Amino acid sequence: MNSGKTLFAQLMDFLPWSTFTRIVSRYGGDWRVRRLSCVEQYRAMAFAQLTYRESLRDIETCLSAQAAKLYAMGFGDPVRRSTLADANEARDWRIYAELAQRLIVQARRLYNNEDLGFDLANTVYALDSTTIDLCLAVFPWGQFRTTKAAVKMHTLLDLRGNIPSFIHVSDGKLHDVHALDLLLPEAGAIYVMDRGYVDFARLHGLHLAGAFFITRAKSNMNAHRVYSAPTDRATGIICDQTIALDGHYTAQHYPEHLRRIRLRDAESGKTLVFLTNQFGLPAATVCALYKSRWQVELFFKWIKQHLRIKHGENPDLDRRLGLRPRRHRQEAPQARSLALHIAPGPLGHAFRETTVGSSAYSRRRQRHYFANNSPIEIVCFLTGQQ
């Protein structure tokens, strides 16, 4: 007879349960709860994520198949789908958002000394977004196209360990450049982003905060050369210049000098033009840092492979999203967006919400529905990654 722990119980031992208990007490998550505490709710959702469950009924059936092992997995009573649906709908989402913050801070400490391949002590972030297509009939709040729904996930990825430090989930219409307004700039950090984030007023805000950025220049950028540094064309670096913007508005938005590096990619044969406010690094290092931005694309691929959102009509899907059983899917509140900010240390704001509604009541409903479910999935993603 096997007397050891189950694999799921061994995985759950890595989580800081004492910290989670303090968070639950702070937000009153277990107040007047008779069954399925916040700890059991998280274990059930983590089990669903790790074992590829697709509905509340699927979770209930899978757990009840081995009822004798539930106690060893951390469950006091059998998990019922109606109880789990009510818990997903009613529990305070900040409990799981703060748990996600603690997990990410704990994971980032493990990669503080990881070598990025460059002689850099700075923290390097990759900023990008991805669109997740949804079924318009099931998710009417995901405004994107007239016949299509979607959400957009804006992510700031720490390249040391490929760990997200900022996640913002919005509707599919939000432009990438608006994600810069949600960032809390870190002095000395390097932000690598593509041309979709080129807005000189916002980039100047990063510069004033003491942060550095690396991006690509648009073809219609109006600027003149101030100084040219010597380069070795054998490495593919065509020019390394200090420039000043000439546009009427761009010159006002960014009055400082910028660094422009032109590179001919040996693999594709294309000519790429980079912009940065970092003048101390070699030109080859700046180009290599931009190439490392593709790590965030691998992260998006991993997220979509493990995402538990289906495109078809599924009556169990509404229950899994936190709606009460037998409630019609069109009654879902019109949620818009949620931002989860992960601070590099124990201080700072853990999250920020951005919602749009016509009344205070609708805004509360939006925060209650959309935010109450998404952090649970995000925390499950993080647990699965570890």
Side-chain angles (χ1 to χ4, degrees):
M1 178 179 179
N2 183 16
S3 60
K5 290 185 177 180
T6 62
L7 180 60
F8 179 77
Q10 296 178 47
L11 290 175
M12 292 294 102
D13 286 343
F14 288 100
L15 271 71
W17 292 113
S18 59
T19 301
F20 185 64
T21 302
R22 289 194 298 268
I23 295 173
V24 172
S25 300
R26 183 181 305 123
Y27 295 105
D30 288 338
W31 183 68
R32 299 185 67 180
V33 173
R34 293 180 296 177
R35 291 186 178 180
L36 199 69
S37 63
C38 289
V39 172
E40 295 177 336
Q41 179 193 6
Y42 176 78
R43 288 178 182 271
M45 298 303 296
F47 176 83
Q49 185 68 31
L50 295 174
T51 58
Y52 297 87
R53 302 301 102 195
E54 297 184 353
S55 66
L56 292 184
R57 186 184 299 275
D58 196 5
I59 298 173
E60 180 188 33
T61 303
C62 187
L63 289 176
S64 61
Q66 296 289 339
K69 298 181 180 179
L70 290 181
Y71 182 79
M73 296 173 61
F75 296 99
D77 297 305
V79 179
R80 304 303 180 189
R81 63 181 185 276
S82 59
T83 305
L84 185 57
D86 293 339
N88 289 345
E89 183 182 29
R91 302 287 167 80
D92 196 330
W93 64 274
R94 293 173 296 179
I95 296 173
Y96 305 97
E98 193 162 337
L99 175 62
Q101 180 193 22
R102 296 296 186 269
L103 291 176
I104 291 179
V105 171
Q106 180 178 340
R108 291 182 67 183
R109 291 195 188 119
L110 302 177
Y111 296 92
N112 284 337
N113 299 323
E114 183 181 359
D115 186 14
L116 291 175
F118 317 103
D119 188 13
L120 277 179
N122 308 66
T123 303
V124 182
Y125 294 107
L127 178 62
D128 206 349
S129 67
T130 184
T131 301
I132 301 175
D133 297 331
L134 304 174
C135 176
L136 184 61
V138 181
F139 304 94
W141 44 264
Q143 301 180 10
F144 185 55
R145 299 285 188 266
T146 56
T147 59
K148 187 179 181 180
V151 294
K152 183 177 286 188
M153 186 176 70
H154 309 265
T155 303
L156 186 68
L157 193 73
D158 187 352
L159 295 184
R160 280 188 171 87
N162 296 334
I163 301 173
S165 61
F166 165 85
I167 294 176
H168 176 78
V169 181
S170 68
D171 57 29
K173 292 185 177 181
L174 185 69
H175 195 274
D176 291 348
V177 75
H178 295 290
L180 293 175
D181 299 331
L182 303 171
L183 289 180
L184 305 176
E186 180 181 339
I190 301 176
Y191 295 86
V192 185
M193 59 197 82
D194 60 13
R195 286 180 293 186
Y197 296 90
V198 174
D199 182 276
F200 290 107
R202 293 177 169 90
L203 294 179
H204 191 243
L206 288 177
H207 176 75
L208 294 178
F212 303 102
F213 60 85
I214 299 176
T215 184
R216 287 182 59 190
K218 293 184 178 181
S219 58
N220 61 349
M221 185 184 67
N222 188 8
H224 68 275
R225 178 179 60 87
V226 177
Y227 173 78
S228 293
T231 59
D232 184 6
R233 287 179 173 258
T235 61
I237 306 297
I238 300 177
C239 66
D240 183 2
Q241 302 172 338
T242 301
I243 65 171
L245 299 175
D246 290 338
H248 176 71
Y249 293 106
T250 56
Q252 296 179 11
H253 294 160
Y254 202 103
E256 312 287 342
H257 287 170
L258 284 168
R259 185 182 183 186
R260 179 173 59 188
I261 301 173
R262 191 181 300 271
L263 169 72
R264 182 177 295 277
D265 190 3
E267 297 179 359
S268 62
K270 296 181 179 180
T271 300
L272 307 176
V273 181
F274 302 108
L275 286 180
T276 180
N277 63 336
Q278 172 59 268
F279 290 87
L281 294 177
T285 302
V286 173
C287 300
L289 283 173
Y290 186 84
K291 186 177 181 179
S292 64
R293 187 188 66 86
W294 287 99
Q295 294 295 331
V296 72
E297 299 294 341
L298 298 178
F299 175 77
F300 289 148
K301 183 179 180 180
W302 182 87
I303 285 289
K304 291 183 177 181
Q305 286 176 347
H306 295 79
L307 197 61
R308 297 292 168 264
I309 296 180
K310 300 301 179 182
H311 293 259
E313 296 275 350
N314 189 345
D316 289 333
L317 189 60
D318 290 345
R319 304 189 187 99
R320 189 177 62 82
L321 287 173
L323 299 179
R324 292 180 180 274
R326 298 177 299 278
R327 181 184 295 183
H328 196 271
R329 60 175 53 90
Q330 297 298 332
E331 298 177 8
Q334 302 295 320
R336 293 298 298 274
S337 61
L338 164 72
L340 174 63
H341 298 254
I342 306 302
L347 301 178
H349 298 287
F351 40 77
R352 179 190 304 164
E353 349 176 28
T354 305
T355 54
V356 178
S358 58
S359 64
Y361 174 76
S362 63
R363 288 193 294 269
R364 287 196 300 270
R365 292 291 300 274
Q366 292 166 11
R367 289 193 295 266
H368 177 73
Y369 171 75
F370 193 70
N372 192 56
N373 293 282
S374 295
I376 298 177
E377 295 292 337
I378 294 173
V379 173
C380 290
F381 290 152
L382 298 175
T383 305
Q385 189 179 24
Q386 296 302 317

